[in-house]
Amino acid sequence: MSITFNYMNFELGVLRFENDTFVYNSNPQEEQKAKIASFGFLDYDLYNSVNLLSKKPFIEFQPFLSQATREDIAKLCNITSKDSDIEKLIKMANKNIRLGAYSLSLK
Amino acid sequence: MKRVILDKNIQKINIDARGSRPKFWFYFKDNPDEKWLFKNTNRSNKSGNQTKTYEDIGEVVFSRICKKLKVDCVEYKLATALNEEEKIEGVICKNYNSDNSVEMSGYTLLESYRRYIYDNYQGLQIPAENTLENYKLSLENLNFVQTENKKHKNAQSFSLNPEKIYRQLSRMLILDYLCCQSDRNWYNISFLIDDKTKTLEMAPLFDNGNIFSWNFRKAVIEQQYKILKRESAYSRYIELYNSKSMAMGIKTPVSHRNIDKQIQSNNVKIKDLPVGLFENELAEIIANDKMLSAFLDECGQIPLFIEEAFEDIADEEYTLLKDQSKMLAKVKFEHLQSLVNKKISEKEEDNEYNI
């Protein structure tokens, strides 16, 4: 399953989870459009990523994970304390959770 | 003040994931064009004394104080959201960014400055601090960069008035100090870039409910009031502050958050900065700026504004909040003003000596 990371209506890139590893691939054209639309103020460091690997979630996704236990979000997304980070992100993407101009969606 | 009841008269749009309190966007069915935000101001959706806070009253009272002082602030109303299972108390406010201007948090602004310095000054690291001084430097740098961008006709360029925004931040800081604001973290400060005028402005103040310890249980507020009432002197305030710093409001210009551990609570790191250091810095800033000095003079009326703010919040339960906050605001105002006067006298003495 893949998660799209969005800024406003721009699909910045796609996160996958394979072999216990987070894999991120950018959408460079959308990244550029988002950069222009935001006047350069993106909280984002994953530009031009091609199969970028990490054992931990990329920092861009941390604000979502830190909100996963908030009562209303956990309830809406059916997140439990047993869920792994990727499970939390998938469940939040399934409900298109928005954090300001940033949001997650399922691909 | 009657609570606005949110029931079948509203249509929920979506959850807003920002902040620690549950919140959602909605519109009233009789006016679908206007978006509102509901924020649960208690610690949990479950009702009961253990979860209740007075942050809702804090939001309303702070916004009314701001209105009197002509400080741009989101206007909050008390509200109760009803659904099949729950009755949730909180506040509502209109969307302050209805034209979808680009919005950035204080964190984003400071981080862009940090990155600029790192990239352009051979990896120089500047402290990740949510302080007025850092905002000042960030805004001045941003103004420089944007002026360069305009020269090169960069489509992304925009205008800003660093002095105006700095003064707005300073006024916020004075109010936060006098009202014992304890949650001005860098996600509770925001900036907007108007798409039409291409101008960066400070957003109206929001999430101001953690004032006068009203985010704590009633027993804590009662205890504070009892002690302060015996002797409402500043030394008594400091004694309380040192014993229960979290409950007594800010210690720093704006509370810190560790840039490397973004999800860590912002409250952990504010304990060690001595209150005297912060107050002296604030007094220095005010003493050097006649407009801020005049603003501080106006703030002397905050106890009166609090009295007025509570006029239609007549519930007996809130008398404690009114009396406690008036006392705290008075004690802190008198202390800050004496520090400012001392700084001004010192400055005048220096000037005479130089002549």
Side-chain angles (χ1 to χ4, degrees), chain A residues 7-8 32-47 59-77 92 95-102, chain B residues 14-24 40 43-46 83 85-86 100 102-105 107-109 111-112 115 142 146 155-158 187 193-195 198 200 259-260 262-263:
Chain A
Y7 173 79
M8 294 163 85
Q32 272 316 106
K33 285 183 200 166
K35 202 173 174 182
I36 291 166
S38 68
F39 295 89
F41 287 104
L42 280 185
D43 292 328
Y44 184 76
D45 264 337
L46 298 171
Y47 292 104
I59 197 160
E60 284 73 4
F61 294 87
Q62 282 293 354
F64 286 91
L65 288 169
S66 69
Q67 296 302 83
T69 52
R70 203 177 83 182
E71 198 176 354
D72 55 337
I73 296 171
K75 189 177 171 189
L76 177 76
C77 302
M92 291 173 99
K95 294 289 181 186
N96 291 113
I97 293 295
R98 301 188 74 85
L99 232 170
Y102 299 89
Chain B
N14 58 306
I15 277 180
D16 188 318
R18 291 175 291 183
S20 59
R21 298 279 191 249
K23 50 178 83 76
F24 62 83
N40 176 358
R43 294 185 196 284
S44 164
N45 280 353
K46 296 177 187 75
N83 60 36
E85 307 151 27
E86 298 152 334
N100 284 325
V102 168
E103 182 169 8
M104 78 195 82
S105 63
Y107 167 80
T108 306
L109 187 83
E111 181 62 5
S112 76
R115 286 179 192 196
L142 195 56
Q146 292 308 319
Q156 274 181 275
S157 66
F158 56 87
Y187 295 113
I193 303 176
D194 187 295
D195 201 41
K198 301 272 190 283
L200 181 132
I259 211 157
D260 300 320
Q262 290 181 58
I263 58 173

Side-chain angles (χ1 to χ4, degrees), chain A residues 1-63:
Chain A
M1 203 171 286
S2 304
I3 296 167
T4 306
F5 186 50
N6 310 293
Y7 173 79
M8 294 163 85
N9 294 323
F10 305 107
E11 295 184 1
L12 297 173
V14 173
L15 181 75
R16 297 194 319 272
F17 192 67
E18 294 168 355
N19 304 320
D20 286 334
T21 305
F22 290 91
V23 186
Y24 190 79
N25 278 285
S26 285
N27 190 344
Q29 285 178 334
E30 293 280 294
E31 283 177 340
Q32 272 316 106
K33 285 183 200 166
K35 202 173 174 182
I36 291 166
S38 68
F39 295 89
F41 287 104
L42 280 185
D43 292 328
Y44 184 76
D45 264 337
L46 298 171
Y47 292 104
N48 301 315
S49 300
V50 180
N51 288 327
L52 187 67
L53 305 177
S54 173
K55 285 287 177 191
K56 289 180 182 173
F58 298 101
I59 197 160
E60 284 73 4
F61 294 87
Q62 282 293 354

Side-chain angles (χ1 to χ4, degrees), chain B residues 5-12 24 26-29 81:
Chain B
I5 302 296
L6 310 182
D7 194 356
K8 288 173 184 167
N9 55 340
I10 64 152
Q11 180 65 52
K12 285 187 187 177
F24 62 83
F26 70 95
Y27 60 82
F28 288 100
K29 284 178 183 169

Side-chain angles (χ1 to χ4, degrees), chain B residues 324-339:
Chain B
Q324 171 248 17
S325 56
K326 278 166 63 183
M327 188 176 284
L328 277 171
K330 184 172 178 288
V331 167
K332 292 192 83 175
F333 169 77
E334 284 170 357
H335 179 68
L336 185 59
Q337 200 173 45
S338 71
L339 286 178

Side-chain angles (χ1 to χ4, degrees), chain B residues 218-282:
Chain B
K218 192 179 177 185
V220 175
I221 303 166
E222 271 171 344
Q223 180 65 10
Q224 280 181 6
Y225 182 52
K226 216 165 117 187
I227 296 169
L228 278 166
K229 211 173 148 187
R230 280 208 305 267
E231 184 196 341
S232 66
Y234 186 73
S235 56
R236 182 67 72 181
Y237 168 80
I238 285 295
E239 201 180 300
L240 275 168
Y241 186 80
N242 289 334
S243 63
K244 191 132 188 146
S245 58
M246 282 305 301
M248 295 305 291
I250 56 168
K251 275 198 170 187
T252 60
V254 271
S255 52
H256 286 210
R257 185 173 282 203
N258 189 336
I259 211 157
D260 300 320
K261 295 176 186 164
Q262 290 181 58
I263 58 173
Q264 199 170 320
S265 162
N266 57 352
N267 291 327
V268 178
K269 293 155 287 298
I270 65 170
K271 287 187 178 169
D272 299 325
L273 195 76
V275 66
L277 178 65
F278 164 59
E279 285 170 344
N280 275 305
E281 285 173 2
L282 183 58

